[in-house]
Amino acid sequence: MKIINVTDYEDMSRKAANIISAQVILNEESVLGLATGSTVIGIYRQLIEWYKKGDINFSKVRTINLDEYIGLVPTNEQSYRYYMNSNFFNHINIPMENTFLPNGLASDIKRECESYDHIINKLGGIDLLLLGLGLNGHIGFNEPDDSFENKTHCVKLSKSTINANAHFFKNNEVQPNMAITMGIKNIMQAKRIVLCVCGKKKSSILKRILYGSVTPQVPGSILQLHPNFTVIADREAMQLLK
Ligand code: GLP
């Protein structure tokens, strides 16, 4: 495990974007595993800026996202498809057909999960997976549980996660309580993992996932066992680790 200490959100975003851009420069056909949420928006912004300067070419890159809500159409601003298009894909030269997210509208969710695992395999696995961290230690939407779920699966979101994400939803919008997420094995099979964490409110969970017991009750704790795992965390998130 490698920990990169950064000063703040901007610093974290630049450093993570640097790692992703190096990956894409070294292998133009990289498979990037991508996350949503507030933590990673600045990383996408930075990558777009460098793309516009001509520094990065995404034309052969393939992306596969961690998760998607069940029941939101892709044009719904709260869907992760909308988030990825509007915060990243629409601003770079990646062909849309090279971008994958679970289909949260599938009539047969079980089959959708199986086909998502199949897509990951067909792409040859994930070269670099970008992760954020939930307040309860979730990665993707793998919520605290009695056992680790290996494959892509349907999950009922915890109260903590629903509350943490409520600020994305306007008053009259229905917030889904179900999602499809890659499983822990899908995540752990990524060749390289970069976890980005910032802010005081993530400091105690960051300490638990990095130095606590490895347990499905704190899903991110499994990352301790990954052979190529990098954490980029700002001063506030690191405050309990000094
Ligand atoms: C969300 C997403 C995760 C994300 C995490 C942190 O619920 N499913 O992929 O990494 O929670 O979100 P944020 O960065 O907004 O704190």
Side-chain angles (χ1 to χ4, degrees), residues 48 60 110 174:
I48 292 167
K60 293 184 188 149
K110 195 167 169 276
V174 178

Side-chain angles (χ1 to χ4, degrees), residues 17-236:
N18 259 305
I19 294 172
I20 295 170
S21 96
Q23 170 71 42
V24 173
I25 290 167
L26 288 168
N27 175 9
E28 286 200 324
E29 295 182 15
S30 289
V31 176
L32 302 178
L34 298 178
T36 48
S38 337
T39 310
V40 292
I41 285 191
I43 302 171
Y44 298 137
R45 212 179 294 138
Q46 183 63 80
L47 288 170
I48 292 167
E49 197 184 312
W50 288 337
Y51 161 73
K52 287 188 173 156
K53 280 190 181 156
D55 290 346
I56 322 171
N57 173 20
F58 290 96
S59 64
K60 293 184 188 149
V61 166
R62 282 81 45 81
T63 66
I64 182 132
N65 265 72
L66 284 159
D67 45 20
E68 177 59 286
Y69 286 116
I70 289 181
L72 298 187
V73 290
T75 48
N76 184 309
E77 290 183 22
Q78 309 313 332
S79 74
Y80 285 168
R81 168 51 82 180
Y82 188 95
Y83 171 108
M84 290 309 300
N85 288 358
S86 58
N87 288 302
F88 195 32
F89 302 148
N90 287 345
H91 309 281
I92 57 172
N93 65 337
I94 192 165
M96 264 318 160
E97 63 271 21
N98 286 0
T99 69
F100 298 92
L101 280 96
N103 175 11
L105 294 177
S107 54
D108 185 339
I109 295 291
K110 195 167 169 276
R111 187 184 283 181
E112 172 61 19
C113 293
E114 285 164 8
S115 107
Y116 209 63
D117 286 336
H118 187 65
I119 292 171
I120 300 171
N121 289 336
K122 231 174 121 193
L123 290 171
I126 299 168
D127 293 307
L128 189 158
L129 173 59
L130 176 65
L131 288 180
L133 181 64
L135 279 176
N136 59 3
H138 75 230
I139 45 176
F141 266 138
N142 289 273
E143 296 281 35
D145 205 345
D146 294 335
S147 59
F148 289 115
E149 281 266 10
N150 281 332
K151 295 180 174 175
T152 303
H153 59 284
C154 167
V155 66
K156 186 169 181 347
L157 302 175
S158 69
K159 272 213 179 87
S160 148
T161 298
I162 290 173
N163 290 340
N165 287 342
H167 67 99
F168 287 110
F169 292 81
K170 297 181 197 107
N171 287 340
N172 56 346
E173 283 176 334
V174 178
Q175 188 179 354
N177 59 4
M178 304 284 283
I180 296 176
T181 181
M182 273 184 204
I184 293 296
K185 192 170 171 191
N186 302 123
I187 290 173
M188 290 297 280
Q189 281 181 337
K191 294 179 189 98
R192 182 178 197 183
I193 295 181
V194 176
L195 172 73
C196 292
V197 189
C198 73
K200 210 164 41 186
K201 64 176 193 241
K202 300 259 177 91
S203 56
S204 72
I205 193 63
L206 180 61
K207 186 177 177 189
R208 282 184 77 193
I209 70 147
L210 298 185
Y211 298 111
S213 322
V214 174
T215 161
Q217 294 297 342
V218 185
S221 62
I222 193 81
L223 298 171
Q224 292 174 35
L225 306 179
H226 192 279
N228 193 343
F229 170 45
T230 303
V231 185
I232 308 180
D234 76 347
R235 249 188 228 135
E236 289 193 346

